[in-house]
Amino acid sequence: MGALVLMAAALAHSVRLLRWRSWMTRRWPILWILHAAYAWIPWDLFFLGLAQLGWVVPSVGIHALGLGATGGLIIGMMTRTARGHTGRPVAASGREVLAYGLVLLAAVMPVLGSLMPAQWHATVLVLTARAWSLAFVLYLWKFTPWLLRTRLDGRDG
């Protein structure tokens, strides 16, 4: 019964995401990262449903939720709010797009890694951690100096 409920929830979230017409955000990375991150929620539910049936390990769904949905939404919202609160244009630069890609790559790797032979699992985990960490290091490298100074326009942040 749990698998059925999880699969139904995955379908409902997929329909919701389709109704948002996410493809229309493709020109604005600062928006599409939020849609891409949300897309991991139905995948998480789907993988957890498969785990209930014993077809995949539960960690696949947990990684999809934690790395994909949560990580993607965090990096997307942090860049968006930091830009806005420092008086900068709310548009992602190349470095931010790279960080978005690394977070999404970090979400894909353990999912695909679960399909690999067991001797590859540790390597996949290390590569996942490196991609995830590098994404947030890129954020810190760019935004720390901005966040330690006053806004460009002199207004309150």
Side-chain angles (χ1 to χ4, degrees):
M1 186 65 171
L4 183 63
V5 170
L6 288 164
M7 295 293 186
L11 180 62
H13 279 283
S14 296
V15 168
R16 169 188 269 177
L17 184 61
L18 283 172
R19 294 183 72 198
W20 288 348
R21 299 181 300 180
S22 298
W23 59 89
M24 296 181 75
T25 67
R26 68 185 174 279
R27 292 187 194 141
W28 301 281
I30 207 151
L31 290 176
W32 67 244
I33 183 57
L34 301 175
H35 289 254
Y38 185 88
W40 279 99
I41 293 173
W43 281 111
D44 162 60
L45 296 165
F46 175 72
F47 290 134
L48 289 176
L50 292 180
Q52 288 285 313
L53 299 171
W55 296 354
V56 298
V57 294
S59 64
V60 175
I62 302 302
H63 282 112
L65 180 65
L67 297 171
T70 306
L73 290 168
I74 288 171
I75 196 79
M77 287 307 300
M78 282 183 359
T79 56
R80 186 176 180 81
T81 55
R83 282 185 158 279
H85 286 289
T86 59
R88 287 169 173 79
V90 183
S93 69
R95 191 179 303 168
E96 290 151 82
V97 173
L98 177 59
Y100 300 162
L102 287 166
V103 166
L104 296 175
L105 178 65
V108 169
M109 284 194 286
V111 172
L112 295 179
S114 70
L115 304 172
M116 295 178 175
Q119 66 263 25
W120 287 98
H121 291 182
T123 301
V124 170
L125 185 63
V126 168
L127 292 173
T128 298
R130 286 182 179 171
W132 172 270
S133 299
L134 181 56
F136 287 93
V137 165
L138 287 171
Y139 173 85
L140 287 171
W141 181 23
K142 179 166 188 165
F143 286 92
T144 298
W146 291 3
L147 294 168
L148 293 176
R149 289 189 216 121
T150 58
R151 286 176 54 115
L152 287 179
D153 58 12
R155 294 177 35 208
D156 289 337

